[in-house]
Amino acid sequence: MNVVISQPRYLPALNYLQRLYFADKFILLDNVQRQYLGVENRNKLLISGNERWLTIPIKSSRKEIISKTIIGDSWLEKHKKSIKFNYKHHPYYSDDLLEQYYAGVCENTNYVDAIETSLKNLSKMFSIPMKFARASTLNIQSEKRGVENLFEICKIIGTNTYISGSNGRGYGVTEYFTPRGIQVLYHDFEYPQYPQKDRTTFTPWLGFFDPLFNCGTDYIKEILQSNPTLYNE
């Protein structure tokens, strides 16, 4: 069994969704602090022809752990209206798909509840088997940090293979995991170049709505279901 461990993501890009698809178990890493100005509660879309952040406001302190983080209000309808206004003339735009992603997502509530709901909506949208768990529910010793925290999650889950994003190479994951009997593979996702409406220069790594509304649901499924590029170093 392989496991992917990642912070919850709002408007995730295709690389995150592919890991979600091929993971046997997907652990939402919510027993750590949120990365301030990271991509946990925000991502970019093409707004008025330019890359623009859509950000869920956070009410909690920057030092609060993710599982206890509370999001603000007055953002949900603004985000939906912004996405619709900027993508409604794209070839595969659909009000139904927009509403499907946000179904059950609430303002002024627990951050992980909101994001897990949206990820489950994406799982239905793209035929991804649901296999979520939250790190905060796994009874991990509170003193575990960084790589030790990730390893403890893997040990509790009972996995023999941990799949990391490519950035994990810089955190000593292989050096810590391998002598302790867990294989580490790195997901090197080559972002596909697809037609973007009214663009002469391609902009990669946007939230999933951009490839979805430019190319359609079947295109996304094909990307997610393709064999992932995994390396052991």
Side-chain angles (χ1 to χ4, degrees):
M1 178 180 75
N2 69 62
V3 65
V4 172
I5 305 171
S6 182
Q7 289 94 329
R9 292 283 190 269
Y10 176 56
L11 296 173
L14 292 175
N15 59 329
Y16 189 95
L17 292 180
Q18 190 181 59
R19 285 197 289 276
L20 178 59
Y21 181 84
F22 67 72
D24 295 320
K25 196 76 172 178
F26 195 96
I27 307 300
L28 296 173
L29 186 65
D30 66 342
N31 66 339
V32 298
Q33 287 184 11
R34 181 174 55 90
Q35 295 177 337
Y36 180 63
L37 297 182
V39 291
E40 292 158 357
N41 63 309
R42 64 179 190 161
N43 206 347
K44 291 179 178 180
L45 289 172
L46 292 175
I47 306 297
S48 299
N50 297 299
E51 293 179 74
R52 292 285 185 269
W53 292 104
L54 289 181
T55 303
I56 298 177
I58 300 296
K59 297 174 66 173
S60 302
S61 163
R62 297 181 191 178
K63 296 182 180 180
E64 185 62 271
I65 63 171
I66 292 174
S67 65
K68 297 180 180 180
T69 293
I70 302 299
I71 60 178
D73 52 18
S74 302
W75 62 271
L76 184 55
E77 289 303 317
K78 291 178 181 177
H79 285 200
K80 288 162 66 174
K81 288 178 181 178
S82 180
I83 294 168
K84 180 173 182 176
F85 180 81
N86 286 277
Y87 283 93
K88 63 183 178 182
H89 297 303
H90 282 56
Y92 290 91
Y93 175 79
S94 163
D95 283 339
D96 289 342
L97 291 175
L98 179 62
E99 292 298 333
Q100 186 175 342
Y101 174 65
Y102 287 104
V105 176
C106 300
E107 298 180 326
N108 199 29
T109 189
N110 179 273
Y111 167 73
V112 187
D113 287 346
I115 299 303
E116 184 173 0
T117 295
S118 68
L119 290 174
K120 287 180 176 178
N121 292 341
L122 285 178
S123 294
K124 295 176 183 177
M125 190 184 302
F126 300 129
S127 303
I128 301 171
M130 285 188 281
K131 52 264 179 135
F132 295 104
R134 300 186 189 186
S136 59
T137 68
L138 298 179
N139 197 29
I140 298 167
Q141 299 177 26
S142 60
E143 69 271 13
K144 300 295 183 181
R145 295 289 186 272
V147 174
E148 289 186 358
N149 182 42
L150 298 177
F151 181 81
E152 190 73 8
I153 292 170
C154 290
K155 187 170 67 172
I156 291 172
I157 293 298
T159 183
N160 54 12
T161 303
Y162 167 59
I163 297 176
S164 169
S166 59
N167 291 337
R169 290 183 173 91
Y171 294 96
V173 178
T174 297
E175 293 81 357
Y176 190 87
F177 276 51
T178 302
R180 293 167 175 81
I182 295 180
Q183 180 186 29
V184 178
L185 297 175
Y186 296 97
H187 180 218
D188 287 343
F189 184 79
E190 185 175 347
Y191 199 91
Q193 186 164 325
Y194 52 84
Q196 288 175 320
K197 187 177 184 297
D198 300 327
R199 301 282 291 181
T200 57
T201 302
F202 181 71
T203 303
W205 302 109
L206 299 171
F208 75 93
F209 274 129
D210 190 77
L212 175 62
F213 292 151
N214 277 293
C215 300
T217 302
D218 288 343
Y219 174 81
I220 301 290
K221 289 181 178 180
E222 182 179 350
I223 296 297
L224 303 190
Q225 296 171 14
S226 62
N227 290 329
T229 303
L230 302 173
Y231 294 98
N232 58 11
E233 57 181 21

